[in-house]
Every structure is written in structure tokens, then in C-alpha cells.
Amino acid sequence: MKRIAVLLFMFTSHAMAAAFVNVPVLNIYAKRSRVSMLGSQAIYGERLRVIRFDHAWTLVQTKDHYRGWIYGKVLAWKKNDGGKAARVMTVHRMNNLYRSPDTAASSPLQVLPFGVSMPVIYHSHRHQGRWLEVRLVTGEKGWIQQGDIRADNKPLTLAAMLNLSWQFLGVPYTWGGKSSFGYDCSGFIQQLFGLMDIQLPRHSSAQAHWKGFISVRRNRLKAGDLLFFGVGQKISHVGLYLGRINNHRMFIDATVSDNYGRNAPLVQLSDLDSPFWSRLFIEARRLKQGR
């Protein structure tokens, strides 16, 4: 009985508390089944709100207010944030984290997606300053190479975000995906705007009605505008307008649509004036000035 009481105390004390993702990419399911719909994801180190437990399942809420279920022991309960230590952010689609400053000594400790933030413990001046020691969410230590990170304390400009978006071409389309291992349309846009310190809603329909946007005419588009698509007036897809490329009005999006006959489910370039996208276009939105 005493053991049961201790376990109940642990469970109830964690409920409604903060926890941190302790796997590279965490799947968040709509139901308590790993074959149910993938509702969303969270990446390593991301803070989640724990709502309740049900055996091996935990109901959580993300910072964009999505609620869903996660499976197994995938959370760290006490994040060591490094205090006032400088932080770095991973910058490639896949980034290796090592046990020691030697790529040949062992297999990677973790393979992290784009956008993971970690505090720096130590900057090695050996190997031409190539390595940084970082703190993990469990308090453990790891090593990452300078070429895989940047200082993450400054939001990107719109121009810098547009330039960065190209590096994700070819990332697989994943329903519910929010990482560089696989995006859906709104997850891709949400992460790009997050780099400018702008937190958009999770889904495309909610993004279209976000208060930080204004409506813009189709013949007045500028690079950085968001394009929304669907059937009738029901929005179900979003892309980021890049401007004219070879005299075509192009946008980048994560899609399963039959673009140019390729039928390739991935992040790709799409032509706004193609018959397919022209038929589905509903509206365009632009950031308000001063944001």
C-alpha cells in the first residue's frame, strides 16, 4: 500500500506540470493508439504541459495549445537549462550529437532535427574550435560541431527566413509533422515563422485568421506572404510565397499534391498560376507592419 501511495503521489504531482521532450522528435497522437492519426509533434527540449496519465500514455498540451497523447518514457521532468549560459540552435535538417568530441569514437548519441536549442557548457579550443559541449534536458552532456549550430538568441528577419526556407526542399511530407524529419503544410509554416519569434496557430485554417495578418490581393503579392488553399471557402492548405522565379509566381509548401505530374509528397516549389493551384486558391495574408 505504501508503494502504491508513493506512485500515486508521483503521478499526481507531475500532472499539470511542465515536462520536456527527451527524444529527437516526439509523436503526439489524437488517440491512445500508435496507429491512430498523428495529430502533431514536438522536438527535443520542447516544453510540454502534462495533463494526465493513463498507464503508458500521457495526455499533454504543446505551446501552440494542441492536446494529444504520447507513449512511453519520452519526457524529462527537470530540465537543466544552463542558467545564464549561452545557447545554440541546430541549423541543418539532421544534426549529430556525440558522446565525445570525436566523430569516430562512437555512434552519435542523438540525431537531432532543425531548431533544437541547447545551453553551452564548454567551447573546446582544440581541433580549431570545432566542438561545443552542451547540456541535455536530463542534465547529461553531449558534444556538437560548430558547423551544425548557430547562436539562437536573435530572431531572423523576413528576408533571412525566406532564404532559409529553401534548405528544406525535399523534406518528406508527414501528416502532423513539425520537424525537419517530416513536415505537414502548417507545421512547416509554423516553424519558419517561429524563427522570426512569431508563434502561429498549429493549423492552416487558424493561421489564415491569425490577428497578426492582413488580407492582400492576389495581384499584389510580395515574398513572405502566406497563400491559403482549399475547396469552397474551407481552408486546408498553406504555402509561403517566394516571388517570381523564371516569370512564374512560386511558393514553397509541404504537399502531397500532384505538382507538375511528379506526385511527390515532400517540401517543394509550387506554381501559384498552375491550373491546379489556381483552382484551389482562396486568399493571401501578410504580416502587419511592425511585426
Side-chain angles (χ1 to χ4, degrees), residues 43-248:
I43 64 172
Y44 186 87
E46 190 171 328
R47 184 180 185 273
L48 300 177
R49 178 187 171 202
V50 173
I51 299 170
R52 68 184 177 92
F53 299 94
D54 191 342
H55 300 287
W57 290 91
T58 306
L59 181 63
V60 297
Q61 180 173 296
T62 63
K63 63 182 179 181
D64 57 14
H65 307 296
Y66 179 83
R67 284 193 177 194
W69 294 92
I70 62 174
Y71 182 82
K73 297 179 180 180
V74 291
L75 300 176
W77 293 104
K78 185 177 181 181
K79 182 179 179 181
N80 191 319
D81 62 6
K84 296 182 179 179
R87 301 186 70 86
V88 293
M89 187 186 82
T90 54
V91 295
H92 299 304
R93 285 153 60 165
M94 300 177 71
N95 308 269
N96 287 333
L97 185 69
Y98 291 92
R99 295 172 174 82
S100 65
D102 185 349
T103 58
S106 64
S107 61
L109 179 63
Q110 298 269 20
V111 181
L112 300 175
F114 174 90
V116 171
S117 176
M118 296 173 289
V120 176
I121 301 172
Y122 175 69
H123 185 174
S124 172
H125 296 287
R126 300 176 60 191
H127 312 290
Q128 293 78 48
R130 174 180 163 188
W131 291 93
L132 292 174
E133 190 176 26
V134 293
R135 180 81 67 185
L136 309 186
V137 294
T138 57
E140 298 174 283
K141 300 175 183 179
W143 292 86
I144 195 164
Q145 298 178 80
Q146 286 271 17
D148 284 335
I149 57 91
R150 73 168 175 87
D152 74 337
N153 58 350
K154 186 177 181 181
L156 296 187
T157 64
L158 178 61
M161 182 274 281
L162 288 166
N163 185 59
L164 180 70
S165 69
W166 289 75
Q167 84 173 47
F168 299 105
L169 288 172
V171 169
Y173 178 91
T174 302
W175 179 275
K178 279 187 58 176
S179 86
S180 56
F181 295 172
Y183 289 112
D184 67 12
C185 65
S186 54
F188 179 53
I189 297 302
Q190 189 187 56
Q191 183 164 69
L192 289 176
F193 275 71
L195 297 172
M196 298 189 293
D197 202 23
I198 295 172
Q199 179 63 54
L200 295 185
R202 176 64 183 92
H203 300 294
S204 56
S205 57
Q207 291 174 358
H209 298 100
W210 183 62
K211 62 183 180 180
F213 288 136
I214 59 172
S215 181
V216 58
R217 294 181 181 178
R218 181 170 173 168
N219 62 353
R220 299 287 185 180
L221 293 174
K222 294 181 180 179
D225 293 343
L226 291 186
L227 310 176
F228 294 93
F229 304 86
V231 177
Q233 292 301 306
K234 185 177 180 181
I235 292 170
S236 59
H237 188 69
V238 59
L240 175 67
Y241 185 63
L242 298 176
R244 287 193 176 271
I245 301 172
N246 296 327
N247 208 32
H248 292 272

Side-chain angles (χ1 to χ4, degrees), residues 25-42:
V25 178
L26 176 62
N27 289 336
I28 306 176
Y29 299 94
K31 299 179 180 179
R32 286 169 292 175
S33 169
R34 285 182 287 179
V35 297
S36 71
M37 184 186 76
L38 180 62
S40 194
Q41 292 180 325

